[in-house]
């Protein structure tokens, strides 16, 4: 069963409605994850420093991807931490602390993906993202790799792949690279479990 959380709005000078993120259930993601020691206890707020009230620039500084992934855009600035620090994200921060480790990791990475996509191209307004549409996401050490995800913008679905690096505590995104692919034809939505509505 998927978990939906109200995610932080895209931080711009104009206020926008909150986004939602779809996360696969613990059962689906647990099958993909290697056994890991339990994460340190403590509220998520302890790992989220306060953010400046100034809005971010229109687009993050992007740098070429690692040589092993030349087709990906690598972000030099992470956006999920700042989005979660926004006062409007209080409910999302609280909900993240109640998720299983696997769900929380997927939620953080999916939020980072949506924030990065919008910052990269303002015309995209991601309101939903699944990291397993065409291929299952997988963990490799402290990195979640989604090679066949999809995000929805303006009621249209698009392919997305990303690499989401997490800190040692697996509570903060420290590196991110992504690639936006083609629009997914509507006739494929049902087979990929991509909802046409909320």
């Amino acid at each position: 069963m998927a978990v939906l959380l109200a995610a932080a709005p895209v931080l711009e000078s104009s206020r926008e409605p909150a986004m939602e993120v779809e996360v696969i259930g613990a059962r689906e993601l647990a099958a993909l994850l290697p056994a890991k020691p339990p994460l340190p206890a403590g509220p998520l707020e302890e790992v989220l420093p306060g953010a400046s009230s100034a809005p971010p620039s229109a687009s993050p500084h992007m740098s070429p991807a690692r040589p092993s992934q030349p087709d990906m855009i690598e972000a030099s600035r992470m956006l999920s931490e700042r989005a979660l620090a926004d006062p409007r994200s209080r409910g999302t921060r609280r909900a993240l602390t109640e998720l299983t480790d696997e769900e929380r990791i997927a939620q953080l990475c999916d939020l980072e993906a949506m924030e990065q996509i919008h910052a990269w191209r303002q015309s995209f307004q991601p309101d939903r993202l699944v990291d397993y549409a065409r291929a299952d996401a997988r963990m490799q050490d402290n990195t979640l790799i989604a090679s066949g995800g999809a995000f929805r913008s303006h009621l249209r679905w698009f392919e997305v792949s990303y690499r989401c690096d997490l800190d040692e505590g697996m509570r903060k995104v420290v590196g991110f690279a992504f690639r936006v692919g083609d629009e997914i034809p509507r006739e494929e939505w049902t087979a990929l479990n991509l909802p046409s509505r909320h």
Side-chain angles (χ1 to χ4, degrees):
M1 181 174 179
V3 175
L4 294 178
L5 293 178
V10 175
L11 300 174
E12 294 183 317
S13 55
S14 62
R15 300 235 172 177
E16 297 180 15
M19 295 184 293
E20 292 185 355
V21 179
E22 180 175 350
V23 179
I24 62 175
R27 195 169 16 137
E28 291 102 346
L29 191 55
L32 306 173
L33 297 173
K36 285 193 172 271
L39 295 176
L44 187 64
E45 286 81 0
E46 290 177 5
V47 297
L48 293 174
S52 163
S53 59
S57 59
S59 129
H61 300 288
M62 302 290 180
S63 60
R66 297 174 184 171
S68 61
Q69 297 173 316
D71 61 335
M72 297 186 96
I73 298 166
E74 186 144 356
S76 61
R77 185 168 51 121
M78 302 306 103
L79 303 175
S80 57
E81 186 174 17
R82 184 168 179 173
L84 286 169
D86 186 287
R88 296 170 287 175
S89 299
R90 186 176 302 121
T92 300
R93 289 193 306 271
R94 185 171 36 253
L96 282 172
T97 65
E98 298 170 2
L99 295 175
T100 65
D101 294 343
E102 294 83 6
E103 290 170 333
R104 181 179 38 74
I105 290 166
Q107 186 81 28
L108 283 173
C109 290
D110 289 351
L111 174 61
E112 185 70 47
M114 292 196 305
E115 293 286 329
Q116 293 289 350
I117 290 165
H118 176 71
W120 169 66
R121 185 165 294 163
Q122 299 274 318
S123 60
F124 283 131
Q125 299 284 332
D127 64 357
R128 202 157 190 187
L129 188 144
V130 294
D131 52 34
Y132 54 88
R134 293 198 186 275
D136 290 335
R138 62 187 172 86
M139 286 298 294
Q140 182 177 340
D141 299 321
N142 283 20
T143 300
L144 179 64
I145 300 168
S147 58
F151 71 93
R152 187 175 66 183
S153 175
H154 303 292
L155 301 179
R156 296 158 57 199
W157 285 95
F158 298 85
E159 297 172 341
V160 66
S161 299
Y162 69 71
R163 184 196 77 241
C164 179
D165 302 319
L166 297 139
D167 66 351
E168 286 301 315
M170 306 288 275
R171 293 183 173 272
K172 176 181 174 182
V173 178
V174 296
F176 196 84
F178 68 99
R179 180 178 55 81
V180 172
D182 296 329
E183 182 173 354
I184 299 173
R186 189 177 185 92
E187 57 269 19
E188 296 181 24
W189 292 4
T190 301
L192 296 174
N193 295 314
L194 301 175
S196 57
R197 295 189 168 270
H198 180 70

